[in-house]
Amino acid sequence: MAQIIETSSQSFASVDVDLVTVDIIENALRNARYEMDAVLFRTAMSPGIREQHDEFPLIADHKGRMVVGQFGSFIGGFLDNYQGTVEEGDIFLTSDPYSCDGAISHANDWLVLMPIYLEGRIVGWAAMFGHMTDVGGKVPGSLPTDAESIFEEGVVIPPTKIYRRGVLNHEMLELILSQVRMKQWNRSDLNAIVAACRTAGRRVVELCGRFGTDVYISTLEQLLERNYRAMEQLILQTVSEERISFTDYLDDDGLGNGPYRIHCTMWREGNKVHLDFEGTDPQSEGPINFFLNVNMFK
């Protein structure tokens, strides 16, 4: 588990926040999320980022819960599994899908995570990933359709402290860049992602300065509670307690094998949605179960 270093032990106070302030902070965070995109599009070099916009930002609260963004909040899982410290000025880089709860899907996605500190305490997190044009591997572009292992797809970066207390780890960065075909592109893209996260950090600190840190933190609690209620209603209104099944097929695995059968049964129990993949090919040794609990969104 990660050890978070904070020089202030003062806890955040829960305060009442009027609806106007909630609305202002919510929209300011939404604008900060779009500003992250703008910074990245204007400074990255890879066409997948600049033109296709294959990138996604995230701004989270001090507990790592996503407030605005476009991909799942992986920060809780990261903190549970990272064996090291988190300090002011640190910035983390990973391209390992298995280290971030699948927030990225392959090695081409470079994911940056940055804690946002104010007066010795973490007040939020900023994260963003971008699809690199090449990360090494057996073919240019690093997307071999006939790959039989992840190691054929290029360099896989475990959660790495690429900035330590604000200082770039040059040796680590050069080690990573030596594995790719277009070193300058990847360097520029990484710098652009880091700049976008720092932009989000500045905006969060500005909001805390304008309204007060306790007001800011309490506002995020209200926004998350509102999302919780909305998600609960969606589950209750749209998902039946009756089991519904569906079958589809994955045509090919890139090696001439297939098609593969994908079978899913869905139903609701209370405010939990169950997704049962028993019957999916290849057959598992037992049922594959997954459920969505509305409490996951709190």
Side-chain angles (χ1 to χ4, degrees):
M1 179 178 292
Q3 180 184 3
I4 296 179
I5 306 299
E6 295 177 303
T7 58
S8 173
S9 59
Q10 181 181 1
S11 60
F12 299 108
S14 178
V15 298
D16 293 330
V17 186
D18 63 88
L19 294 179
V20 173
T21 301
V22 171
D23 193 52
I24 292 173
I25 292 177
E26 178 187 11
N27 283 279
L29 288 171
R30 182 183 293 115
N31 289 336
R33 171 252 180 275
Y34 292 137
E35 189 177 0
M36 294 175 72
D37 285 337
V39 168
L40 184 58
F41 297 155
R42 294 176 182 178
T43 53
M45 294 186 68
S46 290
I49 297 175
R50 291 179 59 88
E51 299 174 19
Q52 293 180 287
H53 295 179
D54 191 351
E55 54 75 39
F56 296 103
L58 178 152
I59 300 175
D61 73 348
H62 65 294
K63 297 179 181 179
R65 299 173 298 181
M66 182 174 66
V67 182
V68 293
Q70 283 183 258
F71 66 100
S73 185
F74 65 95
I75 301 172
F78 166 81
L79 294 175
D80 287 340
N81 294 293
Y82 179 71
Q83 302 298 316
T85 60
V86 177
E87 301 180 69
E88 186 168 1
D90 288 349
I91 298 179
F92 299 87
L93 169 66
T94 185
S95 65
D96 179 10
Y98 299 99
S99 68
C100 58
D101 292 341
I104 53 176
S105 57
H106 53 187
N108 285 75
D109 292 333
W110 282 15
L111 172 60
V112 169
L113 173 65
M114 185 188 80
I116 303 171
Y117 277 80
L118 178 61
E119 298 176 343
R121 296 181 295 177
I122 290 181
V123 295
W125 298 81
M128 174 174 267
F129 76 80
H131 179 105
M132 301 292 161
T133 297
D134 182 273
V135 292
K138 62 187 293 186
V139 299
S142 312
L143 295 173
T145 58
D146 60 345
E148 297 186 20
S149 75
I150 193 173
F151 303 105
E152 299 176 65
E153 300 177 1
V155 59
V156 178
I157 308 167
T160 300
K161 196 177 288 190
I162 201 69
Y163 281 83
R164 185 182 298 273
R165 300 178 186 175
V167 178
L168 175 64
N169 188 337
H170 289 279
E171 292 81 4
M172 179 59 69
L173 179 58
E174 292 305 318
L175 175 63
I176 294 170
L177 294 179
S178 68
Q179 313 301 314
V180 308
R181 293 177 175 85
M182 307 182 73
K183 182 181 298 187
Q184 192 57 38
W185 278 29
N186 290 58
R187 188 191 306 274
S188 298
D189 292 344
L190 177 60
N191 287 339
I193 297 172
V194 170
C197 289
R198 285 175 170 164
T199 298
R202 286 195 297 272
R203 298 298 174 254
V204 168
V205 170
E206 289 170 358
L207 287 171
C208 290
R210 178 180 176 183
F211 296 99
T213 303
D214 290 336
V215 170
Y216 175 78
I217 297 296
S218 296
T219 297
L220 300 194
E221 290 287 347
Q222 288 194 31
L223 293 175
L224 290 168
E225 180 63 27
R226 187 181 65 187
N227 288 349
Y228 164 79
R229 294 194 303 269
M231 194 68 197
E232 183 177 38
Q233 287 302 309
L234 284 172
I235 289 175
L236 294 175
Q237 292 175 7
T238 62
V239 181
S240 171
E241 294 181 342
E242 178 184 356
R243 299 191 178 210
I244 302 173
S245 297
F246 179 77
T247 301
D248 204 346
Y249 292 87
L250 177 68
D251 293 334
D252 195 285
D253 65 352
L255 298 174
N257 303 311
Y260 293 99
R261 182 174 185 260
I262 302 173
H263 183 78
C264 180
T265 300
M266 179 180 70
W267 72 95
R268 175 176 60 83
E269 294 180 5
N271 59 8
K272 296 180 180 179
V273 177
H274 291 257
L275 302 174
D276 185 350
F277 289 88
E278 185 177 11
T280 295
D281 185 36
Q283 293 291 332
S284 62
E285 295 181 357
I288 305 172
N289 290 299
F290 175 75
F291 69 87
L292 292 176
N293 186 342
V294 68
N295 292 315
M296 295 167 63
F297 300 90
K298 296 197 74 171

